[in-house]
């Protein structure tokens, strides 16, 4: 940079860097349809070049930008239309622009009085999320870095509200198919691992209500204090939704907190099919959501909403002398009082701007499309005798495996599918068996790429089908 203050580029320098970065980003997005679903050729050699000492003097922006974009290309392409692994998150263009504005203006929203208008934008976003689930006016929430932090704050809130300071005899309950962040959150919140109960599931992989009843009764007989049930609204394995109506009823009858981990499935509430599938979620005490999944936003955008906002604040609020000049909460909340975080970025704009720009209907239509595409995959694979497709999709995830062959052959199937470099799938283990899964949730994934995915899977199955005699699946 020229001038005596290199950390303060001139207007022309800022414009030049900004235009170069925007051009590189637009080229990257425009190339996603044709980009390989995974490109790790030479990636470790590239990574080794980033293993360097900090330079004493700077380099040109063009050179540094080229390095960054090269690193972005040598990756699993989870921003592209062929990423069907894990739970996809596409990264909306409008949210990228919101990030530029938020980081560029560098406004702080954790204490409402410093930038009231931006704090209100974030508060409005939280209210929109509360309204999705018909939460009352006293509900509150926070935008988090993701579902893991949202689950942690939810469990801390439940623990504080129902157990008080002496909580080591508290027990919580969740499905054996729950996301691992639930058990991790309990551990960090101080709940002894021995007091976290993994409730078995019914054959459709939903939490077994009768088993839950029995486990709660058994714990109470031994003097423990059951305090929280964590239900799933879309498991990572299969997209299964626990029986929310029954679980909410059990929890309230027994004066327990019911938290719903809807990081994957929560935004399907925007659709009529999703509302039917998620029936009962409106009765939850708290809900985890991931806008970086169901709203297609950039990674690092999670959310927690809590029916009784007062309890969320009581679990996280502390006074500090150096904050005495900050005004008391009024119409606009200070988010640091509802979260472990004091310093953080302005997350609300990356939600607010796309909703204002596109409207909720655009998100509703996109989510409906993903439900249709998952149904297409299910019907196509189920009609092929070579595939075992045991669970009808409740959301947009379809687990499957080759019928009558061992795990090694199914692992080979996954390798061949991903080796096409047109699509990228992931796997899990269900009932002790290696299982492939197609999860469709990127706003860039449409019928053409999904049809191609099915064709690739069928072709790979045909190549391996002859191995079923030499590598049979072990009998139960």
């Amino acid at each position: 940079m020229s001038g005596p203050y290199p950390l303060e580029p001139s207007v022309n320098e800022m414009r030049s860097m900004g235009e170069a970065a925007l051009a590189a980003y637009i080229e990257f997005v425009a190339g996603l349809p044709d980009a390989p679903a995974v490109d790790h050729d030479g990636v470790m050699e590239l990574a080794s070049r980033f293993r360097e000492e900090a330079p004493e003097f700077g380099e040109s922006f063009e050179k540094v930008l080229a390095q960054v974009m090269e690193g972005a290309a040598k990756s699993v392409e989870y921003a592209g239309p062929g990423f069907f692994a894990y739970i996809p998150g596409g990264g909306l263009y409008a949210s990228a622009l919101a990030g530029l504005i938020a980081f560029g203006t560098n406004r702080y929203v954790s204490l409402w009085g410093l930038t009231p208008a931006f704090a209100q934008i974030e508060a409005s976003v939280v209210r929109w999320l509360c309204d999705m689930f018909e939460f009352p006016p006293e509900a509150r929430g926070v935008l988090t870095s993701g579902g893991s932090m949202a689950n942690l704050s939810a469990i801390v809130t439940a623990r504080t509200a129902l157990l008080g300071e002496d909580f080591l005899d508290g027990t919580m309950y969740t499905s054996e198919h729950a996301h691992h962040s639930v058990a991790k959150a309990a551990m960090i919140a101080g709940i002894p691992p021995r007091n976290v109960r993994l409730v078995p599931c019914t054959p459709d992989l939903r939490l077994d209500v009768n088993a839950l009843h029995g486990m709660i009764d058994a714990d109470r007989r031994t003097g423990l204090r059951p305090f929280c049930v964590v239900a799933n609204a879309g498991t990572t394995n299969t997209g299964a939704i626990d029986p929310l109506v029954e679980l909410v009823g059990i929890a309230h009858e027994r004066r327990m907190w019911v938290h719903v981990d809807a990081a994957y499935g929560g935004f399907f509430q925007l659709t009529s099919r999703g509302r039917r599938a998620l029936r009962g979620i409106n009765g939850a005490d708290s809900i985890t959501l991931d806008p970086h999944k169901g709203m297609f936003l950039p990674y690092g955008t999670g959310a927690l909403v809590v029916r009784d906002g007062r309890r969320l604040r009581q679990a996280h609020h502390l006074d500090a002398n150096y904050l005495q000049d900050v005004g008391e909460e009024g119409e606009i909340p200070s988010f640091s009082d509802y979260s472990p975080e004091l310093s953080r970025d302005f997350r609300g704009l990356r939600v607010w701007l796309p909703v204002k720009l596109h409207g909720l209907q655009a998100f509703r239509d996109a989510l409906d499309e993903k439900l249709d595409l998952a149904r297409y995959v299910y019907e196509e694979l189920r009609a092929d005798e070579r595939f075992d497709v045991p669970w009808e999709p409740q959301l947009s995830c379809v687990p499957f495996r080759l019928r009558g062959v061992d795990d090694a052959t199914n692992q080979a199937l996954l390798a061949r599918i991903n080796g096409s470099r047109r699509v990228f799938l992931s796997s899990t283990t269900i009932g002790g068996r290696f299982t492939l899964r197609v999860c469709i949730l990127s706003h860039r994934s449409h019928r053409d790429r999904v049809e191609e995915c099915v064709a690739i899977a069928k072709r790979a199955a045909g190549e391996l089908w002859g191995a079923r005699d030499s590598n049979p699946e072990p009998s139960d």
Side-chain angles (χ1 to χ4, degrees):
M1 295 294 172
S2 61
Y5 303 109
L7 301 183
E8 302 175 44
S10 69
V11 169
N12 287 337
E13 288 170 332
M14 286 191 289
R15 181 175 291 109
S16 175
M17 288 188 292
E19 289 174 350
L22 184 59
Y25 173 48
I26 291 173
E27 183 179 1
F28 171 80
V29 172
L32 286 174
D34 297 320
V38 56
D39 181 3
H40 279 169
D41 295 344
V43 69
M44 295 313 296
E45 189 278 328
L46 173 62
S48 70
R49 300 207 304 267
F50 286 94
R51 203 175 298 124
E52 57 184 342
E53 295 182 357
E56 188 63 31
F57 300 100
E59 300 174 341
S60 71
F61 183 76
E62 290 75 12
K63 181 178 179 180
V64 175
L65 177 62
Q67 289 178 300
V68 170
M69 299 312 294
E70 185 180 9
K74 294 295 181 180
S75 172
V76 172
E77 191 46 84
Y78 37 80
F83 185 75
F84 302 129
Y86 310 109
I87 309 292
L92 286 174
Y93 181 81
S95 277
L97 299 182
L100 173 64
I101 296 168
F103 284 117
T105 57
N106 198 29
R107 291 298 182 255
Y108 181 77
V109 299
S110 287
L111 303 172
W112 77 269
L114 300 180
T115 314
F118 280 9
Q120 180 58 62
I121 283 177
E122 191 143 313
S124 294
V125 166
V126 170
R127 188 62 244 174
W128 293 346
L129 300 180
C130 290
D131 288 344
M132 279 177 55
F133 301 98
E134 300 173 3
F135 272 21
E138 61 268 22
R140 292 289 184 274
V142 287
L143 298 183
T144 68
S145 60
S148 296
M149 284 301 297
N151 283 336
L152 174 60
S153 278
I155 291 171
V156 168
T157 302
R159 185 205 70 194
T160 303
L162 298 186
L163 298 180
E165 294 184 0
D166 299 320
F167 53 79
L168 295 182
D169 60 348
T171 54
M172 58 173 282
Y173 308 80
T174 192
S175 158
E176 61 180 327
H177 289 284
H179 194 273
H180 81 289
S181 66
V182 174
K184 183 186 288 189
M187 177 182 68
I188 296 171
I191 305 301
R194 65 179 180 273
N195 287 5
V196 178
R197 308 285 185 252
L198 296 183
V199 184
C201 289
T202 53
D204 60 359
L205 306 184
R206 304 167 80 217
L207 188 146
D208 188 326
V209 173
N210 291 328
L212 174 64
H213 270 298
M215 296 170 84
I216 293 173
D217 289 340
D219 284 334
R220 283 188 169 164
R221 283 194 297 269
T222 61
L224 295 172
R225 290 192 290 164
F227 78 99
C228 182
V229 176
V230 180
N232 294 296
T235 61
T236 301
N237 273 348
T238 65
I241 300 170
D242 288 334
L244 300 177
V245 172
E246 292 89 341
L247 294 178
V248 168
I250 291 170
H252 291 172
E253 175 188 338
R254 293 172 176 262
R255 299 191 177 183
M256 297 170 62
W257 188 281
V258 58
H259 172 65
V260 178
D261 183 355
Y264 166 27
F267 284 102
F268 285 99
Q269 179 79 357
L270 289 170
T271 71
S272 58
R273 282 176 287 179
R275 284 193 297 276
R276 289 194 297 271
L278 296 171
R279 192 170 66 88
I281 195 172
N282 295 358
D285 293 296
S286 55
I287 302 172
T288 283
L289 300 162
D290 265 352
H292 63 214
K293 294 184 174 77
M295 289 192 76
F296 323 114
L297 303 187
Y299 292 119
T301 317
L304 172 68
V305 291
V306 178
R307 174 177 298 279
D308 185 347
R310 175 182 52 88
R311 286 179 154 178
L312 179 63
R313 190 173 191 270
Q314 288 171 345
H316 293 87
H317 171 71
L318 280 176
D319 289 317
N321 290 338
Y322 49 79
L323 298 178
Q324 65 187 16
D325 299 328
V326 179
E328 289 293 322
E329 177 172 310
E331 295 181 4
I332 307 172
S334 284
F335 291 106
S336 64
D337 291 338
Y338 297 85
S339 164
E341 297 179 292
L342 179 59
S343 297
R344 66 169 180 84
D345 61 308
F346 174 27
R347 297 179 180 124
L349 195 64
R350 70 184 77 147
V351 186
W352 183 88
L353 194 154
V355 173
K356 291 284 286 185
L357 181 64
H358 302 301
L360 287 178
Q361 187 62 48
F363 293 90
R364 185 175 293 112
D365 291 343
L367 289 166
D368 266 323
E369 179 194 29
K370 307 318 161 193
L371 294 174
D372 291 340
L373 293 174
R375 171 59 59 173
Y376 168 80
V377 172
Y378 173 72
E379 298 291 354
E380 284 290 316
L381 295 183
R382 190 178 65 155
D384 189 319
E385 65 174 5
R386 297 170 298 185
F387 292 104
D388 179 20
V389 194
W391 298 287
E392 186 174 355
Q394 297 179 47
L395 293 172
S396 64
C397 184
V398 183
F400 70 97
R401 55 183 280 120
L402 270 180
R403 189 187 304 277
V405 300
D406 62 4
D407 282 353
T409 305
N410 276 286
Q411 290 167 356
L413 175 65
L414 178 63
R416 292 192 182 214
I417 292 171
N418 289 348
S420 71
R421 305 205 341 165
R422 290 291 294 167
V423 296
F424 191 86
L425 278 57
S426 61
S427 68
T428 188
T429 299
I430 303 175
R433 294 176 174 176
F434 183 92
T435 302
L436 292 77
R437 50 190 297 289
V438 175
C439 188
I440 306 166
L441 198 60
S442 171
H443 64 288
R444 296 188 177 100
S445 297
H446 304 296
R447 180 68 177 249
D448 57 343
R449 190 61 61 99
V450 173
E451 288 180 347
E452 186 177 0
C453 177
V454 169
I456 290 169
K458 289 183 176 182
R459 183 166 61 247
E463 295 165 356
L464 293 167
W465 188 240
R468 67 191 187 282
D469 296 325
S470 56
N471 299 294
E473 186 171 22
S475 58
D476 293 330

